C-alpha cells in the first residue's frame, strides 16, 4: 500500500481517546504528521487557528458542547483548511448540515486504511489544485506537468503559507515542507529583506484590503548569480469576490554578472565580515546585504531599506547617495571597476552617521547582466562585535577571560569590566595576565588593537563538538 504526501500535517478531532490513539498510529504509518489531537469542538477550533494544519479529520459526534459540524463551520469561516468528516452515525439531516460546510471528504466508520489514504490524499490534492487554479489563473484540468506551471506560493486568509509549487521550490531553494505552515510575513521578510513590521503590513494590505504589492526578490542572500525581475503578491478571491488568502507569483530571474559562480560561499564569506556590505543595482534595489549592514540599518536612523530599496532618510543626502550609485553603475558598464567614491551620511536630527564607499563591479559585455555597485558601510557608533567563540578557540581563553576581553574591546575600563563581571579588580587583573600569557601580548592597548583588527571580529559560528 502507498503512503501519504510526505510531511503533510493533520489535526485529528476525536473525543474517544482509544479511537484517537489508533487513528493517530494509522496516520503516522501512512507517512502523515499528526500535529495534535483535539477531544472536543472548541479545542478543535483553537488548535486549527493556532497550528494551521494541512487537513482536519473531524469526528461529527463529540459528546458535550458543539459537534464536529459546528466546529468545522467556525474553522471554515476563518480558514480554507480542508475538513474530512469521520462518523459512524449518518442520516439525511446530518448529511445536509455537513454539506453546508463544504467538506473535503466523508469517511464512514468502520473504514479501511485504503479508505483513509484515498480520502485524505484526494482532499489534499484538490486543495492544491484549487489554489493553483485561482492563483495562477489556470484550470485544474490543464496539463499537470509541473515544469509548465508558474512559481507560486499561496497563503490562507490568516496569512500562513499553505501551498508551494515545485517551480517556487526550485526558485527559492527551499523544500515545500520548510515553508508550508509558516507565516507569510516571515517568508517575505526572509526572501525580500523588508523587515518584519513592513512584511506584516504588506500581508494585511493584500489579504484584508485587496491591494497588490510588487517585490524584488533578494536571491543573493544565498549568493546566487540571479535576481528577481519583480515578484507580485495579490489577493486570492473566490467566485463571490471574497478574499480567502494571497498568492505570491515569482518572476523569472535575471543574471547578475558579479555573482556568477560564487553561490553560497560568497554570501557566507561576506556575512562573516565585521563591516557593512550592501550590493545594489542602479535603482538602489538591494541585491545582497550582509549581516553587519543589516545591523547598521537596524540601529542607525540615517539610512533606510524599505521594500528592499536602500535610501538616506535626508532628501538631499538621498539624492547624493543616488548620484554616487549611478556614477558607480556607469563605471561598472564601462568596465571601470577600480574607481571608488565615498560620502558621509548623517541623520538630520540625531547623531547617527555612516560613512559610505561605493565601488563599481564590472558587468562585462553581456546584455542580460545587471551592473551593480558594492557599498561599504561604516558606523562608528555601533559597538564592535567580538566573537567569544573565536577568542575561546583561537587563544584558549576561559569563559570569564573571553567576557573580560569583550568588555575591554567595547570600551570599558578594567574597573568597569570587573564590576560588570561581578568580580574584584584584583581578580580581573589576574584574568588579564592569563589573557596576556595566552595571546603573547603584554599591554592592554595592544591587546584591544589585536582583537579589533584580528579574526575575533569575524561573525562566525562553531559547532559545540570539538
Amino acid at each position: 500500500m502507498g503512503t501519504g504526501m510526505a510531511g503533510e500535517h493533520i489535526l485529528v478531532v476525536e473525543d474517544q481517546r482509544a479511537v484517537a490513539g489508533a487513528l493517530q498510529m494509522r496516520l503516522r504509518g501512512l507517512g502523515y504528521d499528526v500535529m495534535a489531537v483535539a477531544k472536543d469542538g472548541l479545542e478543535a477550533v483553537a488548535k486549527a487557528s493556532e497550528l494551521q494544519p494541512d487537513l482536519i479529520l473531524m469526528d461529527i459526534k463529540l459528546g458535550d458542547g458543539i459537534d464536529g459540524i459546528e466546529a468545522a463551520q467556525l474553522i471554515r469561516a476563518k480558514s480554507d483548511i480542508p475538513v474530512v468528516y469521520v462518523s459512524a452515525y449518518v442520516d439525511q439531516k446530518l448529511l445536509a448540515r455537513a454539506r453546508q460546510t463544504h467538506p473535503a471528504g466523508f469517511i464512514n466508520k468502520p473504514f479501511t486504511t485504503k479508505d483513509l489514504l484515498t480520502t485524505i490524499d484526494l482532499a489534499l490534492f484538490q486543495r492544491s489544485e484549487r489554489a493553483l487554479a485561482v492563483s495562477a489563473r489556470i484550470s485544474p484540468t490543464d496539463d499537470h506537468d509541473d515544469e509548465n506551471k508558474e512559481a507560486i506560493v499561496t497563503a490562507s486568509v490568516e496569512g500562513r503559507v499553505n501551498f508551494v509549487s515545485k517551480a517556487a521550490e526550485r526558485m527559492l531553494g527551499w523544500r515545500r515542507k520548510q515553508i508550508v505552515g509558516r507565516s507569510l510575513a516571515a517568508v517575505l521578510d526572509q526572501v525580500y529583506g523588508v523587515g518584519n513590521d513592513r512584511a506584516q503590513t504588506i500581508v494585511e494590505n493584500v489579504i484584508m484590503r485587496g491591494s497588490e504589492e510588487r517585490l524584488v526578490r533578494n536571491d543573493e542572500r544565498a549568493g546566487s548569480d540571479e535576481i528577481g525581475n519583480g515578484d507580485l503578491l495579490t489577493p486570492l478571491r473566490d467566485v463571490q469576490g471574497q478574499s480567502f488568502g494571497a498568492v505570491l507569483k515569482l518572476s523569472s530571474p535575471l543574471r547578475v554578472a558579479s555573482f556568477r559562480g560564487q553561490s553560497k560561499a560568497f554570501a557566507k564569506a561576506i556575512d562573516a565580515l565585521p563591516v557593512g556590505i550592501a550590493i545594489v543595482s542602479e535603482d538602489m534595489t538591494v541585491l545582497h546585504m550582509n549581516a553587519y549592514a543589516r545591523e547598521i540599518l537596524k540601529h542607525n536612523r540615517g539610512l533606510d531599506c524599505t521594500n528592499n530599496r536602500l535610501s538616506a532618510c535626508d532628501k538631499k543626502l538621498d539624492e547624493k547617495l543616488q548620484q554616487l550609485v549611478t556614477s558607480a553603475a556607469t563605471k561598472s558598464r564601462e568596465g571601470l571597476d577600480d574607481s571608488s567614491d565615498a560620502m558621509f551620511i548623517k541623520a538630520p536630527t540625531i547623531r547617527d552617521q555612516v560613512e559610505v564607499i561605493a565601488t563599481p563591479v564590472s558587468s562585462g559585455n553581456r546584455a542580460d547582466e545587471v551592473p551593480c555597485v558594492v557599498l561599504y558601510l561604516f558606523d562608528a557608533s555601533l559597538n564592535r562585535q567580538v566573537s567569544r567563540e573565536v577568542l575561546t578557540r583561537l587563544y584558549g581563553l576561559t569563559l570569564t577571560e573571553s567576557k573580560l576581553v569583550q568588555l575591554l574591546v567595547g570600551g570599558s575600563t578594567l574597573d568597569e569590566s570587573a564590576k560588570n563581571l561581578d568580580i574584584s579588580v584584583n581578580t580581573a587583573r589576574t584574568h588579564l595576565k592569563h589573557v596576556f600569557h595566552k595571546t603573547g601580548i603584554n599591554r592592554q592597548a595592544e591587546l584591544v588593537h589585536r582583537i579589533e583588527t584580528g579574526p575575533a571580529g569575524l561573525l562566525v559560528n562553531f559547532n559545540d563538538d570539538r
Side-chain angles (χ1 to χ4, degrees):
M1 179 161 303
T3 58
M5 298 181 180
E8 300 291 358
H9 307 299
I10 294 179
L11 171 64
V12 172
V13 185
E14 171 60 62
D15 61 332
Q16 297 183 41
R17 184 174 180 180
V19 175
L23 183 56
Q24 190 174 12
M25 290 179 62
R26 291 174 77 173
L27 290 169
R28 287 176 175 169
L30 291 172
Y32 298 111
D33 174 29
V34 179
M35 302 180 74
V37 176
K39 63 181 180 298
D40 58 54
L42 292 179
E43 185 181 4
V45 174
K47 287 190 179 296
S49 176
E50 174 190 358
L51 302 176
Q52 289 296 306
D54 297 306
L55 182 138
I56 300 174
L57 275 181
M58 179 82 72
D59 188 19
I60 293 180
K61 298 292 186 179
L62 294 174
D64 296 333
I66 64 174
D67 64 10
I69 296 176
E70 291 175 284
Q73 286 176 327
L74 294 173
I75 292 169
R76 298 282 292 171
K78 296 182 178 180
S79 173
D80 63 342
I81 302 172
V83 175
V84 172
Y85 289 120
V86 182
S87 181
Y89 312 99
V90 183
D91 55 39
Q92 290 301 316
K93 185 177 179 181
L94 197 67
L95 194 58
R97 285 183 58 219
R99 283 174 178 162
Q100 291 178 358
T101 64
H102 305 288
F106 205 111
I107 304 177
N108 289 315
K109 295 179 181 178
F111 52 83
T112 66
T113 301
K114 183 178 180 180
D115 294 334
L116 189 64
L117 176 65
T118 302
T119 305
I120 293 175
D121 272 6
L122 181 60
L124 292 171
F125 175 76
Q126 288 175 338
R127 183 194 193 194
S128 299
E129 288 294 289
R130 185 170 63 253
L132 274 172
V134 176
S135 58
R137 305 297 194 268
I138 61 174
S139 169
T141 58
D142 283 346
D143 181 11
H144 293 302
D145 181 7
D146 193 74
E147 294 295 332
N148 298 324
K149 292 179 181 176
E150 292 187 61
I152 63 169
V153 176
T154 66
S156 66
V157 71
E158 293 85 7
R160 292 199 170 273
V161 175
N162 54 23
F163 178 78
V164 183
S165 71
K166 288 192 178 297
E169 282 186 300
R170 290 190 294 270
M171 199 168 288
L172 294 173
W174 289 329
R175 299 291 296 275
R176 190 173 306 182
K177 63 182 180 181
Q178 294 177 289
I179 313 176
V180 171
R182 290 184 60 190
S183 161
L184 179 60
V187 173
L188 295 184
D189 182 21
Q190 189 168 356
V191 174
Y192 302 99
V194 295
N196 183 66
D197 291 343
R198 172 62 178 158
Q200 293 282 4
T201 300
I202 290 173
V203 173
E204 289 177 9
N205 286 341
V206 171
I207 295 179
M208 306 307 295
R209 299 178 179 86
S211 64
E212 294 187 354
E213 188 81 24
R214 188 164 292 278
L215 301 161
V216 178
R217 191 162 65 253
N218 189 18
D219 281 43
E220 285 66 44
R221 61 186 166 75
S224 171
D225 62 349
E226 297 180 329
I227 60 171
N229 193 29
D231 302 335
L232 187 63
L233 183 66
T234 61
L236 282 171
R237 299 187 185 281
D238 58 23
V239 292
Q240 282 80 36
Q242 298 296 317
S243 173
F244 66 90
V247 56
L248 175 65
K249 299 179 184 178
L250 306 174
S251 65
S252 298
L254 293 173
R255 180 175 295 278
V256 180
S258 56
F259 302 136
R260 185 159 50 248
Q262 300 305 308
S263 192
K264 294 182 180 179
F266 165 80
K268 187 173 183 179
I270 69 169
D271 269 346
L273 297 177
V275 58
I277 297 177
I279 302 174
V280 300
S281 62
E282 189 170 359
D283 65 354
M284 302 302 293
T285 296
V286 177
L287 309 177
H288 182 87
M289 185 178 290
N290 74 342
Y292 205 79
R294 291 193 295 271
E295 191 70 15
I296 289 176
L297 263 69
K298 182 179 178 181
H299 292 88
N300 191 293
R301 285 166 283 179
L303 282 173
D304 180 61
C305 187
T306 300
N307 200 17
N308 217 39
R309 185 186 181 279
L310 187 66
S311 62
C313 297
D314 180 81
K315 184 177 180 180
K316 291 184 178 179
L317 289 176
D318 187 50
E319 291 175 355
K320 185 178 179 180
L321 178 62
Q322 177 68 69
Q323 292 172 0
L324 187 75
V325 171
T326 300
S327 174
T330 301
K331 294 173 183 176
S332 172
R333 277 191 294 269
E334 296 171 351
L336 304 175
D337 55 2
D338 58 351
S339 180
S340 299
D341 204 348
M343 70 173 290
F344 179 77
I345 293 178
K346 186 178 185 303
T349 58
I350 49 180
R351 299 183 62 182
D352 288 346
Q353 57 192 44
V354 181
E355 293 85 15
V356 181
I357 295 177
T359 300
V361 179
S362 177
S363 61
N365 299 317
R366 290 179 56 102
D368 63 341
E369 288 179 344
V370 180
C372 58
V373 177
V374 178
L375 298 179
Y376 298 96
L377 311 177
F378 302 87
D379 184 352
S381 66
L382 194 63
N383 289 333
R384 174 79 177 204
Q385 298 184 45
V386 178
S387 170
R388 188 182 303 165
E389 290 181 296
V390 173
L391 292 174
T392 301
R393 290 175 180 259
L394 190 61
Y395 302 114
L397 303 187
T398 66
L399 181 61
T400 302
E401 291 166 356
S402 297
K403 289 181 178 179
L404 175 62
V405 172
Q406 285 182 311
L407 291 168
L408 294 174
V409 173
S412 298
T413 65
L414 190 64
D415 288 4
E416 291 170 339
S417 300
K419 185 177 181 180
N420 187 290
L421 294 172
D422 198 23
I423 58 177
S424 68
V425 176
N426 286 335
T427 301
R429 289 197 183 97
T430 300
H431 283 303
L432 185 58
K433 289 179 181 178
H434 293 161
V435 172
F436 286 159
H437 175 73
K438 292 177 181 179
T439 59
I441 297 172
N442 297 317
R443 292 171 49 239
Q444 184 174 323
E446 184 182 351
L447 173 68
V448 171
H449 176 73
R450 168 77 69 84
I451 299 302
E452 283 187 328
T453 58
L458 290 176
L459 310 177
V460 295
N461 296 316
F462 294 92
N463 293 326
D464 291 334
D465 298 332
R466 302 187 66 145

